Amino acid sequence: EVRANRRLAVSPWLLLGVAASLLSGCGNDEVPSAQQVQSATELTDSGQVVASLQAHGAQAARNHFNWQMNCQGCHHPNGEGNAARDIPPLEALETFQRLPEGRAFLIQVPGMSRSKLSDEELTQMANWMMEEFATPQTDEDWQPYSVREVARLRRSPITEGVRDYRKKLMVRLEIAKAP
């Protein structure tokens, strides 16, 4: 499944899809016209598609690696969490975005705030996690974390009573969810 990357002005997947559609005759069994071939060639020859795909792929690979090294041990490969250790599944990430303190909590938990990643790396990984494990794209108000926000939140980590804090926060999030 391909997820939208909010950092690119034009999605490289969209450009690649347009080029493929132009070359394929837009799904018909027809041979592409000379104009379709020219348009697709201009898109791919410009290097924009290739460069965007390479940059997006390299960043996504770094974010996935950082997640594996810093988060996967507790949250498991598919982000399902570990009920026996009271580690929640990552599908709940979007829920935390409903309240400012929930959004902050995701960066302030020890695994994130104490990570050896730089603020920029942590920001990129946190946004990748939202795209990979949650669906914040469906919420028009969701904004990716900024490096400045992550740096500020890391300076005030939650180090004690994390589970109790999360439980209280979940109650508040449920109340915020109610119509």
Side-chain angles (χ1 to χ4, degrees):
E1 178 180 352
V2 177
R3 296 189 185 244
N5 183 345
R6 294 173 180 261
R7 289 181 208 114
L8 296 174
V10 176
S11 167
W13 304 110
L14 175 64
L15 291 174
L16 190 59
V18 169
S21 294
L22 290 169
L23 287 174
S24 71
C26 295
N28 300 326
D29 291 333
E30 304 167 10
V31 173
S33 70
Q35 183 178 1
Q36 289 172 318
V37 170
Q38 178 65 31
S39 296
T41 302
E42 287 171 6
L43 272 176
T44 55
D45 283 352
S46 72
Q48 184 177 5
V49 172
V50 174
S52 293
L53 286 172
Q54 288 174 338
H56 176 72
Q59 185 59 55
R62 278 190 299 276
N63 291 332
H64 186 250
F65 176 78
N66 285 338
W67 180 80
Q68 288 175 314
M69 297 294 105
N70 293 277
C71 310
Q72 180 176 305
C74 294
H75 288 282
H76 292 245
N78 294 321
E80 66 267 18
N82 184 337
R85 293 182 53 210
D86 197 24
I87 308 281
L90 294 180
E91 65 188 17
L93 288 176
E94 183 177 3
T95 304
F96 284 91
Q97 298 296 322
R98 290 188 202 133
L99 293 174
E101 49 274 35
R103 180 178 171 88
F105 175 78
L106 297 176
I107 303 299
Q108 292 172 313
V109 294
M112 295 287 270
S113 63
R114 291 182 175 174
S115 166
K116 296 207 183 296
L117 297 174
S118 71
D119 292 338
E120 184 175 341
E121 290 170 322
L122 186 62
T123 301
Q124 291 170 348
M125 184 185 72
N127 290 325
W128 175 85
M129 289 171 64
M130 291 300 297
E131 293 175 2
E132 186 69 22
F133 296 108
T135 54
Q137 304 86 310
T138 62
D139 181 357
E140 294 175 10
D141 296 331
W142 183 76
Q143 293 295 314
Y145 288 98
S146 70
V147 175
R148 178 178 287 162
E149 177 184 21
V150 167
R152 178 180 52 79
L153 293 171
R154 288 179 94 176
R155 288 193 301 267
S156 57
I158 299 169
T159 56
E160 294 184 24
V162 175
R163 287 183 176 99
D164 290 336
Y165 186 90
R166 185 181 71 236
K167 287 176 187 175
K168 290 176 185 174
L169 189 53
M170 291 303 291
V171 169
R172 293 192 58 225
L173 288 165
E174 283 302 314
I175 292 169
K177 180 179 165 183

